[in-house]
């Protein structure tokens, strides 16, 4: 028997705790919305929705590495964003958000990988500098949209190119609308920046 989960007016089939393979209700949808907003502002964006963590999370970064390598072949890429949802605690009540005008947006958080785990990652400081630049502009435009940057000893495939990072978009308690509003804000931030 399939379990249908209904939350905030959306119905989807759960395939794990707070998870679904229905791309309309996952962080992939959030990426689709970011892509639309960025393209409207004239950015050239390639959005990939390949499953790397289903049916097993183990090995997902290895599978994602192959996808990312293939996507980057022959391209002059300035920014690579790996969108995630913060699943800390997997609690439906954890919903980091900020009020923007009269609406609530899911808070965002950069996760920057380093070479601290022993794997080669010579450009991690440059990735951090770019994240800081983006976050500074975000703080000017939308104070509180970003949570503090997290720096980790894993490289999360961010060694492939300068300008690579993870952005955590909200958490298990945030609504899809809150996450989409955050993507609209993020696109506005990018339109005000010159990355380099």
């Amino acid at each position: 028997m399939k379990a249908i989960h209904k939350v905030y007016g959306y119905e989807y089939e759960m395939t794990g705790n707070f998870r679904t393979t229905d791309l309309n209700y996952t962080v992939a949808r959030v990426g689709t919305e970011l892509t639309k907003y960025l393209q409207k502002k004239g950015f050239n964006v390639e959005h990939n929705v390949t499953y790397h963590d289903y049916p097993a999370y183990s090995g997902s970064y290895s599978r994602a590495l192959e996808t990312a390598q293939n996507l980057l072949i022959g391209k002059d890429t300035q920014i690579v964003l790996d969108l995630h949802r913060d699943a800390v605690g997997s609690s439906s009540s954890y919903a980091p958000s900020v009020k923007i005008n009269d609406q609530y947006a899911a808070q965002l958080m950069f996760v920057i990988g380093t070479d601290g785990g022993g794997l080669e990652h010579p450009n991690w400081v440059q990735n951090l500098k770019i994240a800081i630049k983006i976050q500074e502009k975000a703080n000017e435009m939308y104070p509180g949209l970003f949570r503090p940057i997290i720096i980790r000893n894993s490289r999360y495939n961010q060694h492939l190119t300068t300008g690579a990072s993870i952005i955590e978009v909200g958490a298990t308690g945030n609504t899809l609308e809150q996450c989409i509003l955050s993507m609209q804000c993020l696109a506005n931030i990018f339109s005000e920046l010159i990355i380099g």
Side-chain angles (χ1 to χ4, degrees), residues 8-121:
Y8 303 114
Y10 295 104
E11 286 187 9
Y12 60 91
E13 182 182 338
M14 289 183 67
T15 54
N17 289 342
F18 302 99
R19 300 175 67 84
T20 181
T21 54
D22 185 339
L23 293 179
N24 290 308
Y25 304 105
T26 68
V27 74
R29 166 73 183 281
V30 175
T32 298
E33 298 300 323
L34 177 60
T35 298
K36 289 178 189 175
Y37 290 128
L38 287 171
Q39 288 173 336
K40 284 180 186 175
K41 294 183 177 298
F43 288 90
N44 184 14
V45 180
E46 186 164 347
H47 179 222
N48 185 279
V49 296
T50 304
Y51 285 110
H52 296 109
D53 63 349
Y54 183 81
Y57 182 79
S58 178
S60 59
Y61 278 101
S62 296
R63 292 186 292 275
L65 176 62
E66 184 178 341
T67 299
Q69 286 172 323
N70 289 332
L71 288 171
L72 291 170
I73 292 173
K75 295 185 180 134
D76 181 23
T77 304
Q78 290 182 296
I79 298 287
V80 174
L81 299 177
D82 184 3
L83 296 181
H84 288 225
R85 178 204 60 197
D86 190 352
V88 66
S90 293
S91 168
S92 62
S93 63
Y94 180 55
S97 56
V98 61
K99 194 168 187 178
I100 296 177
N101 298 322
D102 292 329
Q103 298 176 295
Y104 283 93
Q107 283 186 302
L108 307 176
M109 180 175 65
F110 278 110
V111 179
I112 302 297
T114 70
D115 57 4
L119 296 175
E120 185 178 336
H121 188 2

Side-chain angles (χ1 to χ4, degrees), residues 96-189:
S97 56
V98 61
K99 194 168 187 178
I100 296 177
N101 298 322
D102 292 329
Q103 298 176 295
Y104 283 93
Q107 283 186 302
L108 307 176
M109 180 175 65
F110 278 110
V111 179
I112 302 297
T114 70
D115 57 4
L119 296 175
E120 185 178 336
H121 188 2
N123 295 319
W124 77 266
V125 172
Q126 185 63 27
N127 290 352
L128 176 61
K129 287 178 182 178
I130 291 170
I132 289 170
K133 186 174 183 178
I134 294 166
Q135 190 151 333
E136 285 175 343
K137 180 55 75 173
N139 288 339
E140 290 174 20
M141 295 174 68
Y142 305 105
L145 179 63
F146 273 89
R147 294 158 56 199
I149 295 171
I150 299 283
I151 299 173
R152 295 280 189 227
N153 284 333
S154 297
R155 64 182 183 179
Y156 303 116
N157 297 333
Q158 295 172 17
H159 64 292
L160 291 177
T161 186
T162 302
S165 67
I166 290 173
I167 294 184
E168 300 275 1
V169 182
T172 51
N174 288 99
T175 66
L176 182 59
E177 286 85 359
Q178 290 171 342
C179 295
I180 291 172
L181 177 56
S182 298
M183 296 301 95
Q184 186 175 10
C185 295
L186 187 58
N188 292 339
I189 293 162

